[in-house]
Amino acid sequence: MVQRYDAVVVGAGGAGLMAALQLAGHGNVAVLSKLYPTRSHTGAAQGGIGAALGNLEEDHWEWHMFDTVKGSDYLADQDAVEILCREAIETVYDLEHWGLPFSRTPEGKIAQRPFGGHTKEFGKAPVRRSCYAADRTGHMILQTCYQQCIKHNVHFYNEYHVLDVLIEQGRCAGVVAFCLATGEIHTFHSKAVLFASGGCGKMFRVSSNAHSLTGDGMAVVYRRGIPLEDMEFFQFHPTGIYKMGILLSEAARGEGAILRNKLNERFMERYAPTLLDLAPRDMVSRAIYREIREGRGIDGKNYVHLDMTHLGKEVLDEKLPDITEFARTYLGVEPLTQPVPIQPTAHYAMGGIPTDVEGRVVIDEKNTPLPGLYAAGEVACVSVHGANRLGTNSLVDILVFGRRSGRHAAKFIHENDWAPLGDQADSTARDAVSQVLNSTGKERAADIRDVLQDEMMDKASVFRDAQGLTTLREKLGELRERYKRVKSEDRGKSYNTELLEVIELGCLLDLAKVLVESALARVESRGGHYREDFPKRNDADWLKHTLAYQTSKGIELRFKPVVITKFQPMERKY
Amino acid sequence: MQVTLKIKRFNPDKDKEPWWGEYRIDAEPTDRLLDALNHVKWYLDGTLTYRRSCAHGVCGSDAMQINGRNQLACKVLLNSLGNNITIEPMRGYRVIKDLLVDMDAFLAKYRSVKPYLITHGPEPEKERLQSPEDREKFDDTTKCILCGACTSGCPSFWADGEYIGPAAIVNAHRFLFDSRDEGGEERMEILNTLEGVWRCRTIFNCVEACPRDINVTRAIGEVKKALLYRKV
């Protein structure tokens, strides 16, 4: 079945909805989501969205920009970071105008609080920059953007899973998707396609990510010869609920919570004397791993405590109600009186599909755009987060670059016609589905995924080295072989979610391989990528972005210079 | 611990009638029910079908009847459910496959209350001001995740499928009581019907069902009062 649209947006989280709102009224637009839009993972973001409104104290977008660049370990492209921090301000006001129920200051302005790595006067002290709605900011952003989409009659295809992107004569011609309800394969012939399908945290055992975050958008594009940028940089959030990985927002530490080891020491004093518990996430996660490794985990186990007991009932009830409830529900711990067991949790892919500041997908080190193809949000790499993202900046990113990409795509569909659709455009997607449904193999997806998640957690998470990564590379090869024999017991048409999980696992396996190859190549430590065998940052050789291409001979790595405008790389201390 | 999950199964491709599947598994008492369902799907029977995403109670995908009560499978631990657990799809919605139900009508009702801020006139350059007290008035109803548990648990809805249902009213409340909103009149017209807010008989099932602890019946009461006095 072929349907024709001016533009198709893939994914209905913050970035996709923001893009769709820009496209609405400019043509015939469809938004495809493998979920119902309000189930998207933007809704799980908690602590806030960073913008230098200065509602509680002096603040400037230049300070926000400096913090973002320094937080990125100088790998972010500074032209993009400048746009991010300037446009953050108007974006937050737009959200307020659309009805987002921000928490308020006594004068009725948008409330703001401190967050990791956000400072005043270029690093002097923490600043209140994170605009929040209790600890449900992401939920409110997702709801508000979806409400605007209802108002503007945006057309959604819910529970459609994208299997392939169509590239014809150097242009994007559409996508092929699988309708979960019917099992039918649909071709969406489109002038522009905008991927906003989120991250791939489910390649790790302990993750804050939803089950659905399997990197589908990244994998689908990568298989069509488009590179993935900086995939070795994966953020581990310091405070995930022990074993489950459920996120406990940095807002807790923003409100004053303290990390403690088994000796009850505030160990961050040793690692970041100025910002302490509000140091950036990569540093805090490494500090926790070191404490555990040196025997100071609680009861000798692999977790430490997040202590909120001194914050008081009012702060927990009004400013951190959800995470307080998570601790009660999932751990049986009362945060008012007991410390909460936490461990770092796989949280965010800094890397992704390379784009320019208009959200256009670029395919080489010269930033050549692929006409008609766009990406925004976690699936993309602009790059505003470089080697480590600051808290609150993912919400800024999805909205600022969701909007910019949507606006550019709106212009594009006015000025361009459809690229011709090739013969049997859906054949790759059809083959992939029928291969699984007709498989005579005996492998279960869950068994392969278990090994993948455990191995990635063990060898490619907070600490890495050549030996572990090399072993991991071999292991991934074995898993790829096993995946060829994977089966689906469910061979039905309607809501075959087992088939979907098999397809998702294929994406994770491809992306894990890209991550490992990129991590092996980068023989330095920077931001979220820490090599124990190369513990120092090496700007002379490695101040550059990685581009990983799938070729017939395996993965080919190329490199792209970093855009540096205002801030020269310096040693990163907090 | 050993638990037995008794799950109501139905596959439209094969089954004329629903049937009960029983699955015995080993699990940790602190596992979520969703973990137990995943265990069945991943290692015992891949055809078991349900929706899930975030796995910690914020996306609203996995509401179902668990031991007869609407709950999110990801927000209830096995240690609170006993060793024999009965799992059925939510009531009141058409079952599509196993625990997965058709939510289209539910979501259409949500969309029908104009769940978006309505304002007239130009917007200020910066934010609109709103006092913390005004913000507090609709705080509870901003928490809704559209899981459908309240509407499915409502006897008035069982008796009359046309009833707009508690979830839609909660979302109307969220805007009616927002000091910035100017769409009160048009929204009240939608609710001021027999199938609107007046079908509610104050049974309180919705309050018990809500996984976000929204006081749904109170919100509905406030909307009724606003309709009677034409004032929020």
Side-chain angles (χ1 to χ4, degrees):
Chain A
M1 191 186 304
V2 180
Q3 280 138 300
R4 203 180 232 217
Y5 282 90
D6 291 311
V8 168
V9 177
V10 181
L17 298 180
M18 196 66 170
L21 286 168
Q22 307 308 313
L23 283 158
H26 288 277
N28 204 2
V29 180
V31 182
L32 274 52
S33 168
K34 68 174 173 178
L35 307 167
Y36 185 73
T38 61
R39 319 287 185 222
S40 305
H41 206 54
T42 295
Q46 297 168 356
I49 172 169
L53 307 186
N55 279 356
L56 290 138
E57 59 190 310
E58 185 181 354
D59 200 5
H60 302 281
W61 66 260
E62 291 92 339
W63 295 356
H64 187 184
M65 178 181 171
F66 171 77
D67 293 336
T68 302
V69 170
K70 185 178 171 187
S72 81
D73 224 346
Y74 294 91
L75 191 69
D77 289 321
Q78 296 186 16
D79 54 341
V81 179
E82 178 164 343
I83 289 168
L84 179 89
C85 299
R86 278 174 179 269
E87 295 188 8
I89 297 168
E90 61 186 71
T91 305
V92 167
Y93 290 138
D94 279 350
L95 289 173
E96 198 284 329
H97 296 159
W98 294 348
L100 194 137
F102 282 107
S103 295
R104 299 284 171 160
T105 67
E107 316 82 82
K109 294 181 182 171
I110 294 170
Q112 297 185 275
R113 65 180 160 208
F115 235 78
H118 289 277
T119 71
K120 61 175 92 180
E121 297 176 69
F122 309 105
K124 280 205 180 135
V127 71
R128 283 170 280 183
R129 183 178 292 144
S130 168
C131 310
Y132 63 94
D135 55 354
R136 312 186 179 109
T137 315
H139 166 74
M140 303 298 191
I141 287 177
L142 184 63
Q143 296 288 330
T144 302
C145 289
Y146 183 58
Q147 290 157 4
Q148 290 298 306
C149 286
I150 295 174
K151 185 175 175 181
H152 292 99
N153 286 314
V154 173
H155 186 58
F156 288 92
Y157 285 85
N158 300 325
E159 302 187 315
Y160 275 67
H161 179 82
V162 169
L163 295 165
D164 196 11
V165 59
L166 303 172
I167 312 287
E168 297 289 343
Q169 300 165 11
R171 282 183 57 190
C172 182
V175 292
V176 181
F178 165 76
C179 169
L180 269 165
T182 63
E184 281 171 8
I185 299 216
H186 294 243
T187 300
F188 290 85
H189 187 201
S190 179
K191 294 175 183 173
V193 170
L194 196 157
F195 275 90
S197 49
C200 52
K202 275 312 205 192
M203 67 171 77
F204 295 97
R205 169 60 68 194
V206 178
S207 172
S208 65
N209 284 199
H211 283 293
S212 37
L213 287 173
T214 50
D216 319 320
M218 293 176 189
V220 155
V221 165
Y222 169 71
R223 289 169 186 158
R224 288 288 174 189
I226 292 154
L228 294 177
E229 180 174 347
D230 291 344
M231 290 297 282
E232 63 271 41
F233 298 101
F234 204 95
Q235 177 166 85
F236 279 72
H237 192 292
T239 56
I241 285 185
Y242 179 47
K243 286 188 179 168
M244 290 180 161
I246 297 169
L247 182 67
L248 294 183
S249 173
E250 201 165 301
R253 282 170 286 138
E255 299 290 351
I258 293 168
L259 291 163
R260 297 189 187 279
N261 60 21
K262 77 168 182 189
L263 306 171
N264 210 31
E265 288 172 324
R266 184 177 199 177
F267 58 83
M268 282 312 296
E269 284 172 349
R270 287 200 290 279
Y271 301 95
T274 307
L275 291 190
L276 298 165
D277 302 274
L278 283 178
R281 292 172 177 174
D282 58 331
M283 297 180 123
V284 182
S285 286
R286 270 197 298 281
I288 295 171
Y289 262 61
R290 279 207 201 290
E291 291 297 307
I292 290 168
R293 200 179 262 197
E294 290 168 15
R296 292 188 294 277
I298 309 295
D299 297 335
K301 294 192 183 142
N302 57 340
Y303 69 91
V304 296
H305 276 149
L306 180 69
D307 182 2
M308 300 193 261
T309 54
H310 53 291
L311 299 185
K313 192 169 183 309
E314 202 173 314
V315 168
L316 293 192
D317 283 354
E318 285 177 19
K319 296 184 169 173
L320 304 167
D322 274 9
I323 63 166
T324 305
E325 189 192 305
F326 295 157
R328 289 176 186 146
T329 304
Y330 296 109
L331 291 165
V333 162
E334 175 47 65
L336 277 169
T337 55
Q338 294 171 291
V340 184
I342 58 95
Q343 71 180 132
T345 179
H347 188 56
Y348 187 87
M350 268 74 74
I353 306 168
T355 73
D356 64 12
V357 295
E358 309 301 341
R360 291 185 291 188
V361 172
V362 293
I363 55 170
D364 56 25
E365 49 276 70
K366 286 184 243 120
N367 284 327
T368 309
L370 196 153
L373 188 58
Y374 294 81
E378 191 174 346
V379 74
C381 180
V382 184
S383 143
V384 286
H385 309 304
N388 172 64
R389 175 174 72 71
L390 288 192
T392 78
N393 272 355
S394 61
L395 292 176
V396 189
D397 179 10
I398 58 175
L399 297 171
V400 166
F401 290 100
R403 176 157 67 183
R404 289 181 77 90
S405 57
R407 279 186 186 159
H408 200 281
K411 204 165 116 223
F412 181 88
I413 60 177
H414 280 299
E415 293 167 355
N416 290 277
D417 210 341
W418 283 268
L421 207 55
D423 284 344
Q424 299 187 325
D426 61 359
S427 58
T428 305
R430 272 184 196 286
D431 290 349
V433 168
S434 63
Q435 197 191 329
V436 179
L437 289 180
N438 299 320
S439 167
T440 53
K442 296 274 180 267
E443 290 282 359
R444 280 194 301 233
D447 294 331
I448 299 172
R449 190 173 51 220
D450 282 341
V451 180
L452 170 72
Q453 291 178 336
D454 286 336
E455 291 288 326
M456 290 297 289
M457 200 68 199
D458 188 41
K459 300 185 177 71
S461 60
V462 176
F463 289 130
R464 301 164 173 176
D465 64 20
Q467 200 193 347
L469 291 169
T470 310
T471 315
L472 183 51
R473 171 199 268 164
E474 283 165 30
K475 205 86 203 173
L476 291 177
E478 289 166 24
L479 294 181
R480 177 48 73 182
E481 283 305 307
R482 287 176 63 184
Y483 184 77
K484 289 180 184 159
R485 301 188 296 273
V486 74
K487 62 170 178 180
S488 173
E489 283 173 41
D490 195 339
R491 310 222 157 174
K493 288 249 177 214
S494 172
Y495 282 99
N496 190 337
T497 54
E498 189 183 14
L499 168 65
L500 178 63
E501 287 194 24
V502 170
I503 291 166
E504 290 172 331
L505 174 62
C507 296
L508 288 178
L509 285 171
D510 279 0
L511 298 175
K513 192 171 169 200
V514 175
L515 187 152
V516 168
E517 290 302 326
S518 305
L520 260 173
R522 187 174 284 272
V523 286
E524 65 151 359
S525 289
R526 184 186 296 273
H529 171 68
Y530 189 84
R531 286 282 301 257
E532 290 192 90
D533 42 355
F534 298 93
K536 290 260 182 312
R537 194 174 87 193
N538 174 357
D539 286 342
D541 298 320
W542 287 100
L543 186 57
K544 57 189 180 186
H545 298 291
T546 309
L547 296 176
Y549 293 79
Q550 176 173 283
T551 73
S552 54
K553 292 185 207 105
I555 293 174
E556 182 193 330
L557 297 181
R558 292 196 227 160
F559 298 93
K560 174 165 101 167
V562 175
V563 179
I564 293 170
T565 58
K566 283 190 162 66
F567 302 108
Q568 287 304 312
M570 293 189 310
E571 195 191 350
R572 188 161 161 259
K573 275 190 183 162
Y574 289 93
Chain B
M1 68 192 279
Q2 268 227 330
V3 290
T4 303
L5 305 177
K6 199 176 153 200
I7 304 174
K8 199 174 202 179
R9 305 287 311 265
F10 175 72
N11 181 343
D13 294 344
K14 285 195 229 160
D15 303 324
K16 284 207 173 85
E17 292 292 324
W19 52 281
W20 292 94
E22 281 202 15
Y23 310 88
R24 291 185 67 160
I25 61 166
D26 280 315
E28 295 293 325
T30 50
D31 284 349
R32 296 159 277 203
L33 179 67
L34 177 62
D35 298 321
L37 290 174
N38 284 340
H39 186 94
V40 173
K41 180 170 184 67
W42 293 345
Y43 308 106
L44 301 176
D45 182 351
T47 66
L48 178 65
T49 302
Y50 46 91
R51 292 191 179 95
R52 86 286 180 273
S53 189
C54 80
H56 65 288
V58 298
C59 80
S61 296
D62 62 353
M64 53 189 72
Q65 281 192 78
I66 302 163
N67 287 345
R69 246 188 83 191
N70 281 350
Q71 286 175 281
L72 299 179
C74 64
K75 220 181 162 179
V76 52
L77 305 189
L78 296 181
N79 56 20
S80 69
L81 295 171
N83 296 89
N84 294 295
I85 306 167
T86 308
I87 305 154
E88 301 160 81
M90 281 193 287
R91 267 178 94 158
Y93 309 129
R94 182 176 68 89
V95 175
I96 297 176
K97 186 177 176 186
D98 295 339
L99 303 169
L100 191 147
V101 296
D102 183 353
M103 308 261 316
D104 284 356
F106 167 82
L107 294 162
K109 284 174 186 168
Y110 154 73
R111 292 191 295 264
S112 77
V113 301
K114 302 193 176 182
Y116 41 81
L117 194 76
I118 297 173
T119 57
H120 310 295
E123 277 149 355
E125 195 189 327
K126 293 187 173 183
E127 71 265 57
R128 290 188 195 80
L129 298 183
Q130 182 173 53
S131 70
E133 295 73 35
D134 281 344
R135 166 68 177 74
E136 182 60 28
K137 284 179 189 158
F138 65 103
D139 183 65
D140 204 29
T141 46
T142 63
K143 296 189 304 198
C144 176
I145 53 174
L146 299 170
C147 68
C150 59
T151 299
S152 151
C154 172
S156 304
F157 173 69
W158 303 339
D160 175 5
E162 296 303 309
Y163 171 36
I164 196 163
I169 303 172
V170 159
N171 281 281
H173 177 284
R174 177 253 169 275
F175 290 99
L176 281 171
F177 288 84
D178 186 334
S179 58
R180 301 168 296 176
D181 186 72
E182 297 169 42
E185 285 298 319
E186 39 188 310
R187 222 174 263 117
M188 286 208 265
E189 283 316 309
I190 299 166
L191 296 170
N192 193 18
T193 64
L194 221 55
E195 304 295 0
V197 76
W198 303 113
R199 186 62 73 204
C200 168
R201 295 287 185 271
T202 329
I203 300 166
F204 289 94
N205 277 22
C206 48
V207 180
E208 201 193 327
C210 179
R212 301 287 287 162
D213 292 328
I214 299 170
N215 193 332
V216 182
T217 307
R218 185 175 69 194
I220 297 174
E222 286 176 357
V223 173
K224 285 179 179 169
K225 223 186 217 171
L227 278 176
L228 283 175
Y229 300 106
R230 283 282 153 179
K231 202 172 127 202
V232 293

